[in-house]
Amino acid sequence: MTEPAITPELIEAHGLKPDEYERILEIIGRTPSFTELGIFSAMWNEHCSYKSSKIHLRKLPTEGPQVICGPGENAGIVDIGDGQCVVFKMESHNHPSYIEPYQGAATGVGGILRDVFTMGARPIAAMNALSFGEPSHPKTRQLVNGVVEGIGGYGNCFGVPTVGGEVRFHPAYNGNCLVNAFAAGLADTDAIFYSAASGIGMPVVYLGAKTGRDGVGGATMASAEFDDTIEEKRPTVQVGDPFTEKRLMEATLELMQTGAVISIQDMGAAGLTCSAVEMGDKGGLGIKLNLDAVPQREENMTAYEMMLSESQERMLMVLNPEKEAEARAVFEKWDLDFAIVGETIAEDRFLVMHGNETKADLPLANLSGSAPEYDRPWVETPPAAEMDPVPEIDAIDGLKSLIASPNYAHKSWVWEQYDTMVMADTVVAPGAGSGVVRVHGTEKALAFTSDVTPRYVKANPYEGGKQAVAEAYRNLSAKGALPLATTDNLNFGNPEKPEIMGQFVGALKGIGEACAALNTPIVSGNVSLYNETDGQGILPTPTIGAVGLLDNLDQLIDGTARAGHVALMIGPEGAHLGQSALLAEAFSREDGDAPHVDLAAEKAHGDFIRGNAQFIDACTDLADGGLALAAFEMAEAAGVGVQIDAAGNGPLFGEDQARYLIACSFDKAEALMVAAGQAGVPIHTVGKFGGDTVTLGGSSAPLSDLSETYRSTFAANFA
Amino acid sequence: MKAAVITFPGSNCDRDLAVAFEQAGFDVARVWHKDTALPSGVDVVGIPGGFSFGDYLRCGAIAANSPICRSVVAHAEAGGFVLGICNGFQVLCETGLLPGVLMRNAGLKFVCRNVGLTVASAESAFTSGYAQGDALVVPVAHHDGNYNVDAEGLAALEAEGRVAFRYTDNPNGSMGDIAGVLSENRRVLGMMPHPERAVDAQHGGTDGAAMFKGLAEALVSA
């Protein structure tokens, strides 16, 4: 089949800038073929090459004694002792989910699960952080339903418990929803698999589902803004098959035990192209592919289509040839394709053959090594303007404005569509700040949370970046878990705009400082740029996924408040109302600065909580909605009333950081007071639990009425 | 006492079910769906939850025609015990060992939460660890758990006391709040809730443990 001629229009349609095309000509010294142009566009788009973000990502702290493998592989790996490790990553599927919510979200889950089991880890927990437009926007209800069903449809069938996540709504996401999927797996430290190929003349094997035309150009689509041609982009969204993924996982993990795997890489964005180049590049080898051997689902596929297809549930591996028969038998057992499609070669070449023709012959190392890298111009986000005064509001009215908003209402409508308990090790299910999963067959457990407050990041990227990490740290500490490490999913608008790039740079500086101070290095991550529609960008949303360890489940803080319990607050009295939830929900205002984060206080308070877990029955961090929302949530979960003595907007709804709310008996409260005094940690009695009303300062309401609002709001908006 | 747990390619509660059997003192054999015979000496066959063949065609329909299911049916017809949970219940209905079908939930959505159950019949080896009327809390997690059976079938189930469990707050629209049913000889039980997810105080409570323990005791005294 003859390939189209290379024209400026074709180059532009591949998302390549004129200077980037010039660089291609320099590298290969001739005009590329159509297939070669596709390969370059797949490797050099923003999604795959991180060309706008790389120079800033290098500044993040990624090392620590607990880190076995930092960024650069399919997922990060952290030691959890006893010869075991946790393998995790978070990744976005924003663009496809807006175009086709069910499949977009489903394949987002599929992709992140594959990243984890490719390294030899069995997935044991999933989370997802979702951002949608305002609830009244005509697209929002369909997106919420489709995305939630897609996540459930894939994760439930695959058989991984979904144990946490976030759901937020803001008009800035009207044209671009965010779907950030997290997965964590468990592996033995001495049985981890990497992607670097080794050995010359080793067979390159294609595993899993067949290749179709779906998702051709998906990574390039995800590297551009949306406009009114969005409907035309539907064919670039892949279709997921969780049943095949489940079999692929079982077969891959079984295969790894045979000793057949030299290196392995999942086929994600830009499928066969990215995975082959990555394995060759990391191993310093060339790769020769014979596309005639690729299992195909459709007829007459061209080399270009096969190289750019993003068909799901596929892997590429370099095989130890002595083990071929055993490896093949495993895949036959699971009824999956196993095909030798190429070999490793000594020369630095990426050779693609199809029908006895050479469709591509490129210097392999240059495909990723010479990808463009930009130091895009950026301007610092200006300091927030002085805030207008906030009128005092009746405290119960203030609370109602929060719990009647889908942002802060109870989210069981979402998580009941996810299997939160499969594998029978879920100790803390969604809805409690962080989810906790037991390490199967042990008394150890892992805690998971995902956090960011985009309003803060917009107002003050640096403090907002710090806050995302600090909140994750608190959510883990509030369960008694020691925060180990983090993964970042950086969702921003168009990086070619200096003010957007300024948000990115500022947020990353804050994230880096916080991760260093709190000893939670970033071990994996993903960048999603160009989240814009018709020039309108999203709120900067650097989602932080974090993992904590409980050496023994007896350290877990998982009780509930009870009548007679004292309410104690760790940290200073609240005062900061800038960018607060109260301001947004009760007054429709988003002004003021983000709260500033004192990282030393965060560390000290987190250490205090974990060190005194035996005195704490229930604990939650204070975040959006301050003391009032935290106290209500703790009381509501326990079905008991609460009386908070503080009055006024600041003390009740202020969102000052480094704070926790604790419920415990009087005797334990005394012990905590003594311990806090010794540790120099601020602690105050702020009220007590009991009765059946919620009292905030001088205002009260029956718990049952508030509970009804809190639990019905979400379904009322989206069911 | 020996239990066999069947694994279809999309089963995902097979390990959980094996753990629950083991905890009650069973030796557990894991059996692959392409096997044609059960291991010898098996007292009870467990068909676990999950998505046996991706729920393509109809939940449980392809699994019901897999090689091992012929042996499972033969085992039941010879008076052996069979426990089908969630997708396993769907498989048992598809094989005809139990009457009725599991349709899409009335709310059309997947539902995963703890539900209240009452023990409607303690007259089986599976429910012998309970008393009739006991209130239990056990998780459900399914998309297709809406139990339906024709009028005669329902009348027979009720008349013969073959409803094993009922929901106290029906999560899926099942007829008569039916959560689990027994075969005529009371040796085959299918149920949508997951008792194997309720055998551990740290996970899902312990209200399901009495099922496995009761079954073990009934088998020993039988």
Side-chain angles (χ1 to χ4, degrees):
Chain A
M1 195 175 291
T2 37
E3 297 191 328
I6 306 302
T7 63
E9 293 74 34
L10 196 66
I11 294 163
E12 198 192 335
H14 280 77
L16 289 162
K17 301 276 151 64
D19 59 317
E20 293 174 347
Y21 183 70
E22 285 305 314
R23 190 195 279 253
I24 293 173
L25 295 181
E26 263 171 50
I27 290 172
I28 63 174
R30 59 177 168 81
T31 302
S33 71
F34 180 56
T35 301
E36 288 173 337
L37 186 72
I39 289 171
F40 272 106
S41 96
M43 292 303 300
W44 286 10
N45 63 59
E46 187 68 56
H47 186 81
C48 295
S49 73
Y50 295 87
K51 60 191 169 191
S52 301
S53 57
K54 227 188 281 179
I55 66 159
H56 302 289
L57 296 174
R58 286 196 194 106
K59 296 174 197 155
L60 290 170
T62 58
E63 289 173 1
Q66 71 274 43
V67 178
I68 293 174
C69 173
E73 281 289 336
N74 285 295
I77 307 178
V78 175
D79 197 342
I80 59 167
D82 307 313
Q84 291 178 303
C85 55
V86 58
V87 178
F88 66 95
K89 188 183 181 183
M90 191 174 232
E91 197 164 80
S92 62
H93 232 212
N94 305 335
H95 289 71
S97 298
Y98 193 80
I99 297 173
E100 211 306 292
Y102 184 98
Q103 292 297 345
T107 52
V109 175
I112 198 68
L113 289 169
R114 238 169 8 256
D115 279 333
V116 166
F117 70 74
T118 303
M119 304 204 71
R122 179 176 288 271
I124 58 164
M127 298 193 286
N128 46 80
L130 313 177
S131 303
F132 298 103
E134 56 197 325
S136 59
H137 187 272
K139 254 188 102 72
T140 302
R141 185 169 168 267
Q142 176 223 349
L143 287 172
V144 170
N145 276 275
V147 165
V148 170
E149 264 177 54
I151 290 168
Y154 207 98
N156 298 348
C157 178
F158 179 84
V160 63
T162 299
V163 299
E166 312 171 77
V167 187
R168 73 175 59 83
F169 301 88
H170 190 281
Y173 304 103
N174 280 349
N176 297 81
C177 64
L178 302 185
V179 174
N180 293 177
F182 169 99
L186 190 66
D188 288 337
T189 309
D190 61 2
I192 297 167
F193 290 81
Y194 295 100
S195 55
S198 69
I200 294 160
M202 295 296 164
V204 172
V205 179
Y206 172 114
L207 305 169
K210 295 186 196 303
T211 295
R213 290 189 172 92
D214 51 327
V216 172
T220 304
M221 170 277 286
S223 304
E225 287 181 42
F226 283 155
D227 52 31
D228 53 14
T229 64
I230 182 169
E231 282 298 315
E232 297 166 18
K233 297 192 164 113
R234 200 176 293 270
T236 61
V237 179
Q238 317 87 327
V239 176
D241 177 5
F243 174 59
T244 297
E245 177 108 331
K246 159 80 173 164
R247 291 183 293 145
L248 183 61
M249 172 194 58
E250 297 292 355
T252 302
L253 295 180
E254 215 171 299
L255 177 72
M256 286 167 168
Q257 289 179 356
T258 65
V261 181
I262 292 174
S263 77
I264 188 160
Q265 171 77 30
D266 84 301
M267 291 194 225
L272 204 46
T273 295
C274 251
S275 56
V277 171
E278 187 117 3
M279 291 209 300
D281 184 43
K282 286 203 175 125
L285 293 168
I287 302 272
K288 180 179 177 183
L289 291 181
N290 170 22
L291 297 185
D292 299 315
V294 168
Q296 294 159 49
R297 202 174 62 215
E298 298 178 53
E299 288 178 359
N300 301 322
M301 288 187 70
T302 64
Y304 175 92
E305 288 167 335
M306 278 189 261
M307 293 309 291
L308 296 194
S309 162
E310 292 189 7
S311 290
Q312 297 289 289
E313 294 93 25
R314 302 180 300 161
M315 311 273 246
L316 204 61
M317 79 158 170
V318 177
L319 170 76
N320 173 357
E322 289 164 19
K323 301 276 185 180
E324 185 188 331
E326 276 172 88
R328 200 179 279 280
V330 169
F331 274 72
E332 277 166 9
K333 172 185 166 188
W334 290 95
D335 297 313
L336 291 165
D337 273 301
F338 178 103
I340 294 175
V341 297
E343 61 177 329
T344 56
I345 53 179
E347 308 142 81
D348 173 29
R349 283 171 87 184
F350 187 40
L351 258 176
V352 179
M353 314 296 294
H354 189 218
N356 292 325
E357 278 180 50
T358 303
K359 292 294 183 180
D361 186 356
L362 299 168
L364 188 143
N366 273 321
L367 273 171
S368 58
S370 297
E373 190 173 312
Y374 298 121
D375 184 1
R376 297 209 186 267
W378 58 277
V379 292
E380 200 158 324
T381 304
E386 188 79 15
M387 202 178 141
D388 291 334
V390 183
E392 280 298 325
I393 185 170
D394 173 82
I396 291 293
D397 287 348
L399 177 65
K400 281 182 179 164
S401 75
L402 299 180
I403 62 177
S405 156
N407 276 310
Y408 306 107
H410 200 250
K411 307 278 194 314
S412 57
W413 184 89
V414 175
W415 72 64
E416 285 186 357
Q417 295 186 53
Y418 306 146
D419 193 333
T420 55
M421 304 179 231
V422 63
M423 301 182 90
D425 281 312
T426 303
V427 179
V428 179
S434 49
V436 179
V437 172
R438 182 175 46 195
V439 176
H440 190 70
T442 76
E443 286 301 308
K444 288 191 297 187
L446 293 164
F448 303 96
T449 183
S450 91
D451 298 282
V452 62
T453 313
R455 299 185 311 273
Y456 296 173
V457 187
K458 184 170 186 206
N460 185 333
Y462 169 66
E463 291 295 338
K466 280 162 67 182
Q467 195 275 340
V469 178
E471 188 174 340
Y473 180 85
R474 291 198 301 269
N475 272 324
L476 297 175
S477 298
K479 286 275 163 282
L482 177 68
L484 285 183
T486 50
T487 179
D488 58 347
N489 197 336
L490 307 167
N491 310 274
F492 288 80
N494 182 346
E496 294 163 40
K497 295 179 180 168
E499 58 278 19
I500 300 285
M501 208 54 214
Q503 293 174 343
F504 185 83
V505 172
L508 230 57
K509 180 163 181 267
I511 289 168
E513 280 184 23
C515 286
L518 300 175
N519 191 22
T520 53
I522 303 255
V523 297
S524 56
N526 165 249
V527 179
S528 173
L529 302 174
Y530 297 96
N531 290 288
E532 295 208 1
T533 294
D534 296 331
Q536 288 298 308
I538 57 162
L539 294 182
T541 312
T543 311
I544 299 295
V547 177
L549 175 67
L550 289 141
D551 281 327
N552 193 297
L553 272 167
D554 60 18
Q555 298 159 354
L556 176 69
I557 303 171
D558 187 33
T560 52
R562 278 200 290 275
H565 274 171
V566 181
L568 293 174
M569 188 172 76
I570 301 289
E573 179 171 82
H576 187 95
L577 290 170
Q579 299 298 337
S580 64
L582 180 77
L583 207 56
E585 301 293 345
F587 299 100
S588 302
R589 280 171 51 182
E590 287 180 31
D591 53 334
D593 195 3
H596 288 213
V597 180
D598 175 346
L599 293 169
E602 292 287 2
K603 177 92 172 45
H605 299 182
D607 288 345
F608 178 78
I609 296 286
R610 274 177 269 113
N612 292 281
Q614 73 271 28
F615 300 123
I616 301 173
D617 285 301
C619 183
T620 180
D621 87 309
L622 267 57
D624 291 277
L627 175 60
L629 188 60
F632 167 75
E633 286 179 354
M634 193 180 270
E636 207 275 345
V640 63
V642 65
Q643 182 188 330
I644 297 295
D645 305 324
N649 286 352
L652 283 171
F653 295 98
E655 296 182 3
D656 306 70
Q657 300 293 298
R659 299 192 300 162
Y660 297 84
L661 178 67
I662 291 169
C664 64
S665 69
F666 186 79
D667 289 349
K668 287 178 177 172
E670 285 209 317
L672 282 174
M673 295 281 201
V674 172
Q678 283 165 355
V681 167
I683 188 167
H684 302 93
T685 304
V686 292
K688 61 175 188 282
F689 291 90
D692 53 11
T693 56
V694 173
T695 302
L696 303 171
S699 177
S700 34
L703 174 63
S704 55
D705 291 1
L706 296 171
S707 186
E708 169 63 23
T709 303
Y710 180 55
R711 286 184 183 257
S712 63
T713 292
F714 206 95
N717 276 273
F718 303 109
Chain B
M1 285 166 315
K2 194 163 177 182
V5 173
I6 312 290
T7 299
F8 297 104
S11 297
N12 59 31
C13 302
D14 43 340
R15 184 187 78 183
D16 312 353
L17 183 56
V19 168
F21 272 125
E22 278 163 5
Q23 205 176 300
F26 284 88
D27 289 328
V28 178
R30 306 287 290 271
V31 178
W32 182 238
H33 69 109
K34 289 181 184 172
D35 292 351
T36 50
L38 291 167
S40 62
V42 165
D43 299 297
V44 56
V45 178
I47 307 185
F51 291 68
S52 46
F53 283 85
D55 280 1
Y56 296 125
L57 184 57
R58 250 185 353 263
C59 307
I62 301 174
N65 289 290
S66 66
I68 195 64
C69 268
R70 282 190 275 279
S71 300
V72 174
V73 170
H75 169 82
E77 284 170 348
F81 291 90
V82 183
L83 170 62
I85 297 168
C86 198
N87 185 226
F89 186 13
Q90 295 162 343
V91 173
L92 291 177
C93 289
E94 288 286 342
T95 60
L97 285 173
L98 291 172
V101 295
L102 283 311
M103 306 198 308
R104 176 78 16 134
N105 293 344
L108 302 181
K109 304 231 182 251
F110 189 94
V111 55
C112 175
R113 62 169 177 254
N114 284 320
V115 297
L117 297 179
T118 51
V119 178
S121 171
E123 301 290 310
S124 77
F126 302 102
T127 51
S128 59
Y130 303 105
Q132 187 168 340
D134 275 0
L136 316 176
V137 175
V138 178
V140 292
H142 58 249
H143 211 156
D144 300 81
N146 182 353
Y147 185 72
N148 264 257
V149 63
D150 58 27
E152 284 163 40
L154 183 64
L157 286 176
E158 296 289 1
E160 293 162 26
R162 284 162 51 203
V163 175
F165 300 100
R166 289 186 210 274
Y167 301 110
T168 56
D169 184 11
N170 193 336
N172 53 33
S174 288
M175 269 181 180
D177 299 326
I178 292 173
V181 299
L182 292 158
S183 61
E184 281 177 36
N185 71 358
R186 313 184 88 77
R187 290 184 168 210
V188 179
L189 170 66
M191 63 190 295
M192 288 312 294
H194 287 272
E196 85 284 14
R197 294 187 186 183
V199 295
D200 183 340
Q202 282 170 341
H203 169 89
T206 54
D207 285 359
M211 168 177 292
F212 297 96
K213 204 171 277 174
L215 179 63
E217 283 166 12
L219 286 172
V220 166
S221 58

